[in-house]
Structures are given as structure tokens and as C-alpha cells.
Amino acid sequence: VCDLLKSGQVTKPVCAWVSGTCATMFKTEVQFGHAGAKSGEDTTSAAAKNNALKAAGAHCPTSFDTFGELIGEVFTKTTGIKVTPGDHIPVAGFPTAQEVAQRLFDLKIRKGTNIISTISDDRGDEPKYCGIPISQVVSQKSDLGSVISLLWFKKSMPSWATKFLELCIILTADHGPCVSGAHNTIIAARAGKDLVSSLCSGLLTIGPRFGGAIDEAGRLWHTSINSNMAPYDLVESMKQKGIPISGIGHRVKSIHNPDKRVELLKDYAAESFPDTAYLKFALQVERITTQKGANLILNVDGCIGALFLDCVVNSKCFSKKEIDELIEIGSLNGLFVLARTIGLIGHVYDQKRLKQSLYRHPWDDVLYGNDDEMMGGY
């Protein structure tokens, strides 16, 4: 401090006092300050330090008892403001004594929160989506994909990417009454169940065999490309493990009767995406699998899984770690769940309008048999 005062680097008045001057009153050396601290010589004593500070230009009292008075005198001399006991002089940029007391009080009584939310905020004049007021979301003419981008991924993705998300919703909203999700919903609705119950009965069928393959397909394409695995090696590896390739195969469609939804997705990607490395990889896998069976095509789950990865990578909004996390938490299946919810609600309303009675499956569509008969090939 003395060196800084002498060199002029410290220009503001300094009031200082080094405690321990009473050490000279003892016949033997007395320990002051932190544990183990000893002056050892006169030049490092408290009195010597006070003298050094005063010589360097600091204001030092004759004793600690007058330290407060000295500070007041220096303040008055420097600012021209006369201070009397009890006065409060506000300092710009610093909280008042009352504000400090209130903050300390708040800290004492504040309790821990039960929920942490980072995607929306309903405080204030209007709700916010990821920090953006909904009036701004509307004024920007944001589409459904933009809202998904904000609330699901906490990103403002480019328009070509949000339109892809919306296209996925449109193309997978429904797939007729015969698939398991719609079938369950229809049966529940005809049993007189309410909208939410009927909807949930259909949504609960979504999994590895129905709809949920988008997640698995995306994970497979992502792992394969990041590990530099060739399409042929992937096919052979899955074959040796006896595991079907998620995103490949269709019960009805084939290379001779392609899925129109996949064609529309591919067309949009070719027109709007900067790059489609994941889709190209998936299509290379399809060329290999269709040599073994005409129906082993890239289905809509596999196509969405590949293009979703192309979308987030080329949007330049996500780090590699964030993309890995998107796959880990099941973001791809969210698209199918959201989309199919629209169709399932439609099936509930359809059955209610038609006033359909309780469903009972026809007995001639059931193969009845005991264990012995089944083992015999029936």
C-alpha cells in the first residue's frame, strides 16, 4: 500500500490503522494477528507500519480510539460535506443500509424451490417462451415449429428448420384407424370414456413397435456416422446381433409402393436443407436392405430420425453435446407424440359424433385354442 501511495497509483485518500501498537507495553514479545504471526523486529511492528503509511501519505490516527473521527475529518476535507453522527451519506452504486438489511432478511427467510423451469415464465404482463414475450412471437409470425423450437430446444432455429418440424407434425398426425394407437383410442371412446382417457389409451401404445422407432432410428444413424461405420457394416452388425434396424421396413409399403410421406420429406430436405449427410447414410442402408426384401425400405420413422439430425446439425444452433443430449432425452419421439395426439383426438370426436356403441371384437377373428393345440401347429 505504501508503494502504491508513493507511486501515485492510489489517488484517493486512504485512512489506515494497523492494530497491535500496544505490543510495546509488554516486556516480552506478544503475538498479535492470525495464528503464528510474529513481528520479530521493530521495522515490522504495528507502530512501524503506521509510521510508514503516514510517511507515504496515508491518514493515520494517533490511536484506534480516534480512527472514526479521522475518517470524518478526511471525508469533510475531501468532499466539503460536514458529517454529524447519525447522518447517512448515499454512495452511488452501493445499496443503502436499509437495502442491505432487507436483503439479509430475505436470505434468512427464503425457502428452497420445489421446481426449476427454464423454458417459460408466466410472471409479468405476459407469458414468455424461453425469454421471448408471446406478443413478439406472434408479431414475428412464428409458426408451430418456432414454438416447438423455443419450448422444446430453447433455441430460435432458422425458418427452414422450423418448417421441417411442422412438416413432420402434418405428415404423421394420423395413419388411419387400424394402427394400434388409433385402435385403442377408438375402443376407449366407444366405451364411453372421456377425451383425455381415450387419448391416453392410444398414446400409451407408442413405443419401440409403434412410433417410438424414431428415437431408436435417430440414435442408430447418429452413432454410426460419428463412429465412421459404413452402411454395409451397420447392416451386417445388426444382422449378426439378430436385431432389426430401427427405421427400416414397412408392413404395407415397399420399393414398388413407396410411402408418400417419406417422399415428401425427402423432397423438402433436397430443396431446403443445407446438407443431408444423415439422410444419405440412411438411404445407403436402404439400398442394401431392399436387396434382401422389397419392403425393407426407409420408413417414415427412419426418415424423420435422419432428417432431424440433419436439421439440428445444419441449423448451427446446437453444440455436439447438446445434440447428444437431444437424442438421449427422447426429443425425436416427441414429434410423433405431438403429431399423433392430433389424430387421436380426431378419432375420439369421430366416434362421439357417430354415437358408436361399445366395441366387442368378433369371435371369428380370434384363434381359440389350448396350449396343446397351439403346440400342434394351430
Side-chain angles (χ1 to χ4, degrees):
V1 175
C2 291
D3 291 340
L4 292 173
L5 285 167
K6 290 178 180 178
S7 65
Q9 295 184 59
V10 174
T11 58
K12 293 183 179 180
V14 175
C15 296
W17 177 254
V18 180
S19 298
T21 55
C22 63
T24 57
M25 301 175 63
F26 296 90
K27 294 181 179 180
T28 59
E29 185 178 353
V30 179
Q31 175 180 309
F32 288 97
H34 60 83
K38 299 176 69 174
S39 62
E41 55 184 25
D42 292 339
T43 56
T44 57
S45 66
K49 291 177 180 178
N50 283 322
N51 291 333
L53 284 166
K54 189 172 183 179
H59 301 273
C60 299
T62 55
S63 70
F64 183 75
D65 292 339
T66 60
F67 195 19
E69 295 176 4
L70 176 66
I71 294 174
E73 293 172 1
V74 173
F75 178 80
T76 300
K77 183 179 180 180
T78 305
T79 63
I81 301 173
K82 179 65 177 177
V83 180
T84 58
D87 287 347
H88 173 70
I89 307 299
V91 180
F94 290 87
T96 63
Q98 291 82 356
E99 290 173 336
V100 172
Q102 183 61 50
R103 292 179 187 179
L104 290 173
F105 178 75
D106 292 341
L107 287 172
K108 289 180 180 179
I109 65 171
R110 184 175 181 178
K111 64 177 183 179
T113 58
N114 295 312
I115 294 176
I116 300 175
S117 177
T118 63
I119 64 169
S120 60
D121 191 341
D122 58 341
R123 300 169 299 177
D125 296 334
E126 59 179 315
K128 296 179 180 178
Y129 292 165
C130 198
I132 301 177
I134 56 172
S135 58
Q136 183 177 334
V137 175
V138 173
S139 65
Q140 293 174 345
K141 297 182 179 180
S142 302
D143 53 20
L144 177 60
S146 299
V147 176
I148 293 174
S149 174
L150 290 173
L151 292 179
W152 288 14
F153 312 133
K154 300 172 62 176
K155 307 286 185 181
S156 293
M157 299 173 70
S159 60
W160 63 265
T162 61
K163 288 179 180 177
F164 162 72
L165 297 176
E166 192 164 316
L167 179 62
C168 291
I169 303 300
I170 294 172
L171 295 180
T172 59
D174 194 58
H175 202 209
C178 298
V179 295
S180 57
H183 188 71
N184 265 27
T185 297
I186 289 171
I187 291 176
R190 291 181 60 169
K193 303 297 289 184
D194 60 274
L195 171 64
V196 175
S197 300
S198 301
L199 172 62
C200 288
S201 71
L203 289 176
L204 288 173
T205 64
I206 296 176
R209 298 182 180 181
F210 173 60
I214 299 179
D215 254 347
E216 290 299 323
R219 187 175 292 108
L220 190 61
W221 307 142
H222 184 256
T223 301
S224 299
I225 286 186
N226 286 353
S227 61
N228 295 317
M229 179 179 286
Y232 179 81
D233 293 335
L234 170 62
V235 174
E236 289 300 307
S237 174
M238 299 299 282
K239 179 181 178 181
Q240 292 174 7
K241 295 176 183 177
I243 303 174
I245 301 176
S246 295
I248 294 292
H250 201 286
R251 288 181 176 274
V252 179
K253 301 297 181 179
S254 67
I255 54 176
H256 308 298
N257 178 30
D259 190 335
K260 187 63 176 178
R261 298 173 299 175
V262 173
E263 298 301 311
L264 289 170
L265 286 167
K266 287 160 59 176
D267 290 344
Y268 179 78
E271 179 183 344
S272 306
F273 278 41
D275 185 61
T276 55
Y278 286 94
L279 177 62
K280 291 174 183 176
F281 181 89
L283 291 173
Q284 289 176 339
V285 172
E286 180 190 51
R287 293 190 189 97
I288 298 171
T289 55
T290 49
Q291 294 177 6
K292 304 177 183 297
N295 69 324
L296 297 179
I297 58 173
L298 179 67
N299 58 39
V300 69
D301 294 341
C303 187
I304 290 177
L307 286 177
F308 179 85
L309 291 170
D310 284 322
C311 176
V312 295
V313 169
N314 290 287
S315 70
K316 307 300 182 183
C317 295
F318 302 85
S319 65
K320 182 182 182 302
K321 181 180 179 181
E322 288 175 325
I323 294 174
D324 292 340
E325 187 177 57
L326 287 178
I327 297 173
E328 180 183 347
I329 64 178
S331 300
L332 287 84
N333 274 357
L335 291 172
F336 184 83
V337 171
L338 176 61
R340 196 49 57 96
T341 295
I342 299 172
L344 296 182
I345 290 175
H347 284 294
V348 175
Y349 291 157
D350 189 42
Q351 297 302 306
K352 298 292 187 183
R353 281 194 300 266
L354 294 172
K355 296 179 173 55
Q356 293 292 284
S357 60
L358 178 67
Y359 177 82
R360 178 181 174 84
H361 200 73
W363 63 266
D364 58 354
D365 190 40
V366 177
L367 175 60
Y368 293 92
N370 57 41
D371 290 343
D372 293 337
E373 290 174 332
M374 295 303 294
M375 291 298 292
Y378 287 90

